[in-house]
Amino acid sequence: MAMFKDDSVRLSEFEEFARETPEWFSDAKLGVFVHWGAYSVAAWAEPIGELGADDHAHDFAHNPYAEWYANSIRIEGSPAQQHHRETFGDVDYDHLLDLWKAERFDADDVIALVKQTGARYFVPTTKHHDGITLWDAPATDGRNTVARGPKRDLVGEFADATKRAGLKFGVYYSGGLDWHFSPSEPVVETDGPEGWTNRANDDPYAKFAYNHIVDLIDRYRPDILWNDIEWPDPGKDAGPHGLVPLFDRFYAAVPDGLINDRWGDTHWDYRTTEYQMGDVTEGAWENCRGIGYSFGYNQLEDASHMLDGEAAIRYFVDIVARGGNLLLNIGLKADGTVPEEQRATLETLGAWNATNGAAIFGSRQLDASIASGSESPWTRWTRAGGTANAIVDADGSVTLTVAPDALAVDSARLLDGTPIAAAVIDGGVRVDLPARTTPGPQVVTFDLV
């Protein structure tokens, strides 16, 4: 995965693709990501902390991302390498592909959980950095889940289940890193904030990756192309295997589709951040993260490393109040099931959204001149049509920092329409909130004037 890059440079060949953000994406607010691969067999990484946190630099020998296992075990002396030898013996990474059976995988069951969260879109991995594809991709010479391991078109099963459920479907593809196509020394550091050592970056790989994305578009008609890390430089042009014809093909197939921002300085419909929210101040954006410190399932993680349901609710609300979407990740076990700790977090988030979604889905940022978030009490604001929604993690009498003259104060009510007492005082509006009976913040709605 790669971090957000604050750079508005676009090459001239890509200016034709600039357009308004499709309304469905602005309204969606929540998507669910899935990382699942041969790395899920090992399910092992050191849970040292969130990527990008101040006290956790990205140390590739101690990588908290289980989906980077193929790289971690190539770093001499790394704990992952030691674990691999002790657990699997003197075998290479591809041995895990043959051990991966997905014997309990039911795409409809996974998507039922996704829909229960309130999410409007779903994005599974189709090829991660290990180069193994989860469909019968061109020129993979049997190194895919149809020929080996599960012996199933997992992308196709996900796509069909997602569309049956009425959700938008995206595809994650690692364009910048493919350790099998271009074998080299392991990635041990980046060439600065946005550069990557040892990435596949030649013309043969550009054609290989191009043909994969074409195949994904033609087979599955995804609503989102979610590329990761970068794109090979020889393919950043209008040539026959370049991004210009590739993006043309995508938009022709899916006119209201979207492309993320991890293709280098080319084109994007929205920005992405990872774990840390970054300083996104305008335009469409999305934050992605795991429920724990890893995207791939990590057997070493426990509750102390994970967002519980209430923490996930607050995290989600915070992003929406800032004008973004959350792409929250599930790391499936090798057998295809959702780990119970992750399922519990998603179910709690879904229960809260089922009650409070009117203040979230389809909402927009509230003008900062009216109100902005506060920490005491923890409050975030959204706007839905002609109403302002205060999402407050508190009970009893609390003061909301808000411009009273922007609100019809006597219209204060809960989302179910129950009126609540409200009065203008110095510093804002005081409201009397009922005691909560379910986890998460409660919502006070005011009519805007």
Side-chain angles (χ1 to χ4, degrees):
M1 309 293 285
M3 295 299 290
F4 170 79
K5 185 165 86 162
D6 187 11
D7 181 0
S8 60
V9 174
R10 298 183 190 219
L11 301 180
S12 60
E13 294 96 324
F14 297 93
E15 291 176 354
E16 65 177 279
F17 298 117
R19 64 197 183 118
E20 294 295 318
T21 304
E23 198 77 2
W24 76 260
F25 187 77
S26 300
D27 290 344
K29 305 308 177 188
L30 181 62
V32 172
F33 220 178
V34 161
H35 278 62
W36 193 30
Y39 45 81
S40 305
V41 174
W44 199 95
E46 295 177 87
I48 62 173
E50 290 186 5
L51 178 68
D54 290 341
D55 55 347
H56 295 295
H58 199 154
D59 181 350
F60 288 97
H62 302 275
N63 197 328
Y65 285 175
E67 68 275 14
W68 276 66
Y69 187 77
N71 187 72
S72 301
I73 63 176
R74 294 191 301 167
I75 299 175
E76 285 300 323
S78 70
Q81 184 183 74
Q82 180 179 351
H83 168 79
H84 187 75
R85 288 170 176 167
E86 292 174 352
T87 305
F88 300 104
D90 187 21
V91 297
D92 64 15
Y93 177 79
D94 277 18
H95 179 67
L96 302 184
L97 173 56
D98 296 317
L99 294 178
W100 180 24
K101 300 303 181 184
E103 64 273 17
R104 297 177 62 193
F105 174 59
D106 183 331
D108 288 305
D109 179 66
V110 174
I111 297 302
L113 176 61
V114 171
K115 190 166 185 175
Q116 183 183 343
T117 68
R120 301 317 201 236
Y121 59 103
F122 173 72
V123 183
T125 47
T126 66
K127 185 196 81 166
H128 208 267
H129 313 328
D130 61 6
I132 295 169
T133 63
L134 277 65
W135 87 106
D136 187 14
T140 50
D141 298 325
R143 196 171 179 268
N144 60 65
T145 62
V146 176
R148 295 173 63 180
K151 296 188 177 178
R152 296 163 69 174
D153 176 2
L154 301 175
V155 178
E157 292 182 39
F158 273 136
D160 291 345
T162 302
K163 293 171 184 178
R164 280 194 294 271
L167 305 180
K168 298 288 189 178
F169 179 71
V171 290
Y172 167 105
Y173 184 86
S174 176
L177 294 178
D178 188 317
W179 300 318
H180 182 75
F181 187 94
S182 183
S184 63
E185 295 300 311
V187 176
V188 295
E189 63 182 1
T190 61
D191 294 325
E194 298 305 327
W196 291 86
T197 60
N198 305 330
R199 69 183 178 94
N201 196 30
D202 55 18
D203 190 63
Y205 178 66
K207 293 177 180 178
F208 175 82
Y210 172 92
N211 288 330
H212 278 189
I213 300 296
V214 165
D215 199 48
L216 288 169
I217 293 169
D218 291 350
R219 287 188 193 227
Y220 309 116
R221 291 294 193 273
D223 300 289
I224 297 174
L225 292 183
W226 212 105
N227 186 59
D228 201 10
I229 301 292
E230 248 282 5
W231 192 255
D233 294 335
K236 295 176 181 176
D237 59 20
H241 295 94
L243 286 181
V244 171
L246 186 64
F247 293 165
D248 270 330
R249 188 186 196 103
F250 172 64
Y251 289 128
V254 190
D256 65 346
L258 293 101
I259 293 169
N260 77 338
D261 65 340
R262 302 189 182 198
W263 309 75
D265 292 331
T266 59
H267 161 73
W268 55 86
D269 292 310
Y270 67 96
R271 291 302 214 171
T272 60
T273 64
E274 191 164 323
Y275 278 88
Q276 314 313 309
M277 291 188 198
D279 185 21
V280 185
T281 57
E282 61 182 25
W285 65 279
E286 172 192 78
N287 176 263
C288 66
R289 63 158 295 152
I291 291 173
Y293 300 150
S294 175
F295 286 90
Y297 171 60
N298 182 5
Q299 62 178 310
L300 298 189
E301 289 187 341
D302 58 31
S304 69
H305 308 116
M306 297 185 188
L307 294 174
D308 64 14
E310 291 194 69
I313 293 166
R314 284 173 56 141
Y315 191 89
F316 174 47
V317 169
D318 194 23
I319 288 173
V320 172
R322 295 168 185 250
N325 286 9
L326 172 61
L327 186 60
L328 186 61
N329 182 80
I330 302 172
L332 294 183
K333 292 183 175 181
D335 67 2
T337 59
V338 179
E340 286 306 312
E341 300 89 344
Q342 296 183 36
R343 181 180 287 273
T345 293
L346 295 175
E347 288 176 344
T348 302
L349 174 61
W352 189 88
N353 283 335
T355 300
N356 300 284
I360 298 295
F361 300 104
S363 71
R364 298 294 185 269
Q365 279 184 284
L366 183 66
D367 192 305
S369 66
I370 299 175
S372 56
S374 64
E375 300 305 312
S376 182
W378 189 95
T379 306
R380 298 294 185 268
W381 293 82
T382 65
R383 175 179 59 81
T387 65
N389 305 299
I391 304 165
V392 189
D393 198 6
D395 299 309
S397 180
V398 300
T399 298
L400 305 177
T401 304
V402 61
D405 58 356
L407 309 176
V409 174
D410 60 0
S411 70
R413 60 196 181 275
L414 302 179
L415 275 178
D416 65 4
T418 302
I420 62 170
V424 177
I425 64 169
D426 289 342
V429 173
R430 187 185 66 233
V431 295
D432 293 328
L433 299 174
R436 286 170 289 178
T437 58
T438 57
Q442 52 189 324
V443 181
V444 181
T445 293
F446 298 90
D447 293 332
L448 292 164
V449 298

